[in-house]
Amino acid sequence: MLHIKPFPYAKDNLGYLVYGREKAMAIDGGAVSEILAHIESNGLVLEYVTNTHSHPDHTVGNAVLLEKTGAGFLGFDGLAADGKIELEGEYIQVLQTPGHTFDSVCFYFNDTLISGDTLFNGKVGRCFTGDHTGFLRSIKTILELPGKTIVHAGHDYVLEYLDFSRQLEPDNPHIDSYREKYDPDHLFYTLAEEIRVNPYLRVNDEKITAILKGRGLPAETENNRWQSLLSLM
């Protein structure tokens, strides 16, 4: 059975260690000291170092982790080609989710999603590629996962993004319960909970369509609605 442990670092970044009984994999391992300490105290071997995408705030820990542990590095080309990672006989699925960056990926296993900056808790990432249609495809790939999937994002922007959702949908009854559950030391929400509060995951919802039209934004097609939502960032 694989486990996951979050490691906050910098102002609001979140990195993760996925591990079994003996081996581990660091994803966006910027919290180098804390990750190394956890590995040592639990008798683990760091097998792999990898990232959700190549932005420097996510790759900042790679060099030291690789140097200190002798772990192997899993880069985007290898992740994209293999589509999965084996760790202690279990498989972690690699989902290619371009949009925030061209090399964005998410990792999925045991009803757990490490989503990087593709999907945040409460919002989605910025589309720095400019490929809005491709980004929508990536989000729809995530929406195919079970509703019980736990979403572990690349940053803790929860309170800021809930404020945005409340401004957009002041009568959304799910925002308060989502806010009450927020715990920065134990941050997790299911995909079903995300869908209820995150307007970007309800691009085809009649209510979202009406909101966009009320703001004078294009809302005739799915792509219209998606680009209109992205314009609100």
Side-chain angles (χ1 to χ4, degrees):
M1 180 72 173
L2 295 179
H3 307 279
I4 181 171
K5 181 174 176 58
F7 287 88
Y9 66 99
K11 181 182 178 181
D12 48 41
N13 278 77
L14 291 166
Y16 299 93
L17 194 71
V18 179
Y19 62 97
R21 289 174 295 179
E22 300 176 351
K23 297 180 180 180
M25 175 175 71
I27 301 173
D28 296 346
V32 173
S33 298
E34 292 84 353
I35 290 173
L36 291 175
H38 184 83
I39 288 170
E40 182 177 359
S41 64
N42 288 274
L44 298 170
V45 173
L46 190 62
E47 187 85 353
Y48 303 118
V49 171
T50 191
N51 303 105
T52 57
H53 62 293
S54 58
H55 279 166
D57 60 319
H58 293 263
T59 63
V60 64
N62 288 1
V64 177
L65 287 175
L66 293 170
E67 178 187 354
K68 295 288 187 181
T69 66
F73 178 65
L74 301 177
F76 173 72
D77 290 341
L79 292 172
D82 295 340
K84 60 184 177 181
I85 302 165
E86 182 182 357
L87 190 67
E88 289 198 353
E90 295 192 48
Y91 288 95
I92 300 164
Q93 186 178 355
V94 179
L95 307 177
Q96 294 187 55
T97 53
H100 180 68
T101 62
F102 287 113
D103 60 2
S104 289
V105 296
C106 297
F107 301 93
Y108 176 69
F109 65 98
N110 298 342
D111 292 323
T112 297
L113 181 73
I114 300 175
S115 57
D117 289 7
T118 297
L119 173 62
F120 293 124
N121 297 114
K123 212 173 185 180
V124 298
R126 294 186 181 275
C127 186
F128 290 124
T129 63
D131 182 5
H132 297 155
T133 301
F135 192 20
L136 177 58
R137 283 197 300 269
S138 296
I139 295 301
K140 292 173 79 171
T141 294
I142 292 174
L143 287 172
E144 293 175 359
L145 300 175
K148 63 182 178 180
T149 300
I150 303 296
V151 178
H152 293 278
H155 293 267
D156 178 359
Y157 295 149
V158 172
L159 298 183
E160 174 189 349
Y161 288 169
L162 281 183
D163 285 343
F164 168 82
S165 294
R166 196 183 299 278
Q167 290 173 15
L168 192 67
E169 289 186 279
D171 60 343
N172 186 329
H174 304 292
I175 293 176
D176 286 340
S177 59
Y178 190 103
R179 173 65 179 84
E180 290 170 2
K181 184 178 176 179
Y182 172 67
D183 180 352
D185 296 321
H186 191 51
L187 182 59
F188 71 95
Y189 294 94
T190 66
L191 182 59
E193 289 172 317
E194 294 298 332
I195 291 170
R196 288 195 285 267
V197 304
N198 188 336
Y200 293 84
L201 302 186
R202 287 178 285 122
V203 67
N204 292 319
D205 187 283
E206 290 183 0
K207 184 179 178 183
I208 299 300
T209 300
I211 289 171
L212 294 175
K213 287 182 176 179
R215 291 180 171 229
L217 294 169
E220 291 74 22
T221 68
E222 182 178 67
N223 278 331
N224 285 157
R225 293 187 291 275
W226 178 247
Q227 293 195 48
S228 291
L229 283 169
L230 291 179
S231 74
L232 297 176
M233 288 187 170

